């Protein structure tokens, strides 16, 4: 399986991805990032998303989820169940 098949990017508007991935997602046991490992600590939109023509609002709110061979359907369902409430809380801050 190629690496591209194991990455999922989701754009969340009206909240910075860094706020989601650093605090609330981690506290909920969900591992995600706001960018690639090679750009850790850089507070700007991914150059890959820029090259794809993604606008700034969606790009800065993009979360990257890496799926591995041990990722189960239940793992994905758990993230999908938690994510809406996490986003709601982050937007209210």
């Amino acid at each position: 399986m190629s690496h591209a098949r194991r990455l999922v990017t989701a754009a969340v508007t009206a909240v910075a991805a860094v706020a989601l991935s650093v605090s609330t997602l981690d506290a909920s046991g969900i591992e995600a990032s706001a960018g690639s490992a090679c750009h850790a600590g850089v507070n700007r939109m991914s150059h890959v998303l820029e090259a794809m023509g993604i606008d700034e609002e969606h790009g800065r709110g993009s979360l990257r989820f890496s799926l591995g061979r041990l990722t189960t359907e239940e793992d994905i369902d758990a993230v999908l169940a938690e994510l809406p409430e996490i986003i709601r809380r982050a937007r209210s801050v």
Side-chain angles (χ1 to χ4, degrees), residues 17-93:
V18 173
L20 285 171
S21 64
V22 171
S23 60
T24 319
L25 289 172
D26 286 345
S28 297
I30 298 171
E31 296 180 23
S33 66
S36 65
C38 60
H39 288 99
V42 175
N43 190 16
R44 69 181 289 269
M45 185 171 137
S46 159
H47 70 283
V48 174
L49 296 178
E50 286 177 355
M52 292 171 58
I54 304 298
D55 63 72
E56 184 78 14
E57 179 183 16
H58 288 91
R60 291 185 62 80
S62 292
L63 292 170
R64 190 181 72 171
F65 299 89
S66 298
L67 309 177
R69 62 183 177 85
L70 300 177
T71 303
T72 66
E73 192 170 327
E74 290 78 18
D75 294 332
I76 295 167
D77 289 342
V79 170
L80 293 175
E82 293 278 335
L83 202 52
E85 177 61 20
I86 292 169
I87 292 168
R88 187 196 64 72
R89 285 193 317 251
R91 284 180 176 156
S92 68
V93 173

